Amino acid sequence: MLELAVLKKKAVDLLCQLIETQSFSREEDKTADIIFNFLTEHGATAHRQNNNVWSIHPNFDENKKTILLNSHHDTVKFGSSWTYDPLKATIEGDKLIGLGSNDAGASAVSLLATYINFLKEDLPFNLIVAITAEEESSGELNVGSILPVLPKIDLGIVGEPTQMDMAIAERGLVVMDVSIKGKTGHAARNEGVNAIYEAIDAMNWFRTYNFERVSDMLGPVKMTVTQIEAGNQHNVVPDECNLVVDCRVNELYANQEVVDIIASCLPKAIVKARSLRLNSSRISENHPIVQKGIELGCMTYGSPTMSDQAMMNFETVKMGPGDSARSHTPDEYIYLSEIEHGIERYVNLLKGFTF
């Protein structure tokens, strides 16, 4: 078995290699190659479907419960305000700067190191590591695409930057297209029904409506009108006004239920959800993995940001090295000490764990 200090160094080296290999969401084939090779080079049996790579612990026993270690290796595209080369791993003291270093490369390499650490051990549970694609784009070929070919999962540990605290709840997301109809007329005369004016009532409703059920961890359901489109000519009263609404759902509502409530409250509007698959999640604070995390010093909280937890129909916690506030920002970075701490906490979380 490799010493943990050696694994920590290998994790940092792997992260540098991943940073310097372009892996925009839906274009992750080269980093998938690197992760596949890393697993095989360390004695694991690697599997791959599209750009998703995983390994199942060799002592798999169908009579045991199964834990999935998951993070993603795709990145967003970088903007023009970077002052460092985003595709170069730059180390300055304890700081490693580069695209995807914080979100979520540090989590990915820390989970891989944790898996390799336990590779030769006979664990009281089954262990699977999956470093997957298309998280940033919520693409069809993300982790959800491989869950049907994996064994039944009982618990997921999802690696995202949380400062190694535990997000035990996460908001879901429903994006809706809302159409309000009017009737065309000449703008110079008192004709028609202006769809923009009709939409004002709907926009005010989205701004002021309060869903009844409020989560103690995530707060209320949050709705925001983020786009509006209407009219195609200055002298024609528009007969249609289209809104895009971003709705962040707490764990007390199903996505479809939220859409149904909105449609019933806005009978003049046509409400269509683009997708219902990005669900909210919640795990009990009394779950053994949460209790073990608290014993190790983890804080628990509810996360407003989306992750691949939304794809998982089993209990999950979200935790990883780094800080969510650095994600998708210029000169994104991770501290090397955060990676070392992340590996230590993941290992200690699983060491001796039973559920």
Side-chain angles (χ1 to χ4, degrees):
M1 181 187 301
L2 288 172
E3 292 182 3
L4 205 54
V6 176
L7 273 175
K8 290 175 181 177
K9 183 180 184 308
K10 285 178 173 286
V12 171
D13 291 343
L14 175 61
L15 180 53
C16 291
Q17 193 177 2
L18 293 174
I19 289 169
E20 296 188 348
T21 306
Q22 182 177 298
S23 56
F24 301 145
S25 200
R26 297 190 173 98
E27 302 174 22
E28 319 93 336
D29 54 305
K30 291 182 175 60
T31 48
D33 291 340
I34 292 169
I35 293 163
F36 188 98
N37 292 336
F38 180 86
L39 283 165
T40 57
E41 287 166 5
H42 290 87
T45 300
H47 306 271
R48 178 171 178 173
Q49 180 175 293
N50 298 307
N51 293 327
N52 301 293
V53 180
W54 71 94
S55 178
I56 301 172
H57 194 281
N59 294 333
F60 183 88
D61 181 346
E62 62 182 13
N63 295 312
K64 295 178 181 178
K65 291 185 176 181
T66 299
I67 297 175
L68 173 67
L69 308 178
N70 169 248
S71 190
H72 64 94
H73 62 103
D74 63 318
T75 72
V76 295
K77 294 184 177 180
F78 54 86
S80 60
S81 51
W82 276 71
T83 62
Y84 291 79
D85 182 344
L87 298 179
K88 184 178 185 303
T90 303
I91 297 178
E92 295 180 350
D94 189 38
K95 184 185 284 189
L96 171 56
I97 303 156
L99 183 67
S101 56
N102 178 76
D103 183 15
S107 293
V109 300
S110 297
L111 288 172
L112 286 164
T114 300
Y115 177 78
I116 297 300
N117 179 76
F118 289 111
L119 196 59
K120 303 299 183 184
E121 292 193 22
D122 187 13
L123 300 169
F125 49 82
N126 298 315
L127 193 62
I128 300 173
V129 65
I131 309 301
T132 50
E134 297 192 14
E135 190 274 345
E136 296 291 4
S137 59
S138 299
E140 296 290 339
L141 300 180
N142 66 5
V143 66
S145 69
I146 65 168
L147 292 178
V149 304
L150 296 181
K152 176 182 176 290
I153 308 296
D154 299 283
L155 173 66
I157 299 174
V158 178
E160 290 281 351
T162 70
Q163 298 180 314
M164 289 311 292
D165 287 324
M166 277 187 168
I168 62 174
E170 180 184 86
R171 285 186 179 275
L173 170 64
V174 183
V175 178
M176 286 164 285
D177 294 298
V178 179
S179 179
I180 296 93
K181 302 297 184 182
K183 183 179 179 181
T184 57
H186 199 297
R189 295 189 293 270
N190 189 22
E191 294 179 344
V193 177
N194 194 317
I196 295 176
Y197 297 159
E198 295 292 305
I200 289 173
D201 288 341
M203 286 188 280
N204 281 332
W205 182 88
F206 281 116
R207 187 163 61 92
T208 60
Y209 183 79
N210 295 313
F211 282 84
E212 181 180 347
R213 301 194 288 273
V214 178
S215 166
D216 62 333
M217 188 67 66
L218 295 172
V221 173
K222 183 177 184 297
M223 298 185 293
T224 307
V225 177
T226 55
Q227 292 175 260
I228 182 170
E229 181 181 50
N232 53 30
Q233 198 166 318
H234 79 88
N235 59 352
V236 177
V237 172
D239 64 352
E240 185 174 11
C241 183
N242 296 309
L243 313 176
V244 176
V245 179
D246 178 294
C247 183
R248 303 289 168 154
V249 184
N250 67 28
E251 81 283 10
L252 303 178
Y253 289 90
N255 287 352
Q256 183 65 63
E257 184 180 10
V258 167
V259 175
D260 291 344
I261 291 170
I262 293 169
S264 68
C265 291
L266 298 174
K268 292 184 179 180
I270 300 169
V271 180
K272 292 183 179 180
R274 295 182 181 179
S275 171
L276 296 171
R277 69 192 186 109
L278 300 176
N279 300 293
S280 59
S281 65
R282 178 76 180 261
I283 189 171
S284 170
E285 204 158 1
N286 295 320
H287 191 285
I289 197 68
V290 180
Q291 288 299 305
K292 181 75 179 287
I294 292 171
E295 289 173 14
L296 293 172
C298 294
M299 302 287 288
T300 59
Y301 70 101
S303 174
T305 57
M306 289 289 300
S307 76
D308 274 336
Q309 279 182 289
M311 299 292 105
M312 300 176 184
N313 61 356
F314 43 84
E315 292 182 302
T316 56
V317 294
K318 179 167 70 177
M319 63 183 299
D323 187 335
S324 180
R326 301 177 206 151
S327 300
H328 306 178
T329 61
D331 302 337
E332 178 185 354
Y333 66 91
I334 189 76
Y335 290 113
L336 303 182
S337 54
E338 289 178 317
I339 297 173
E340 293 173 0
H341 172 62
I343 295 170
E344 289 172 5
R345 180 159 284 185
Y346 282 142
V347 168
N348 288 330
L349 187 67
L350 295 176
K351 188 183 295 181
F353 176 72
T354 57
F355 71 118

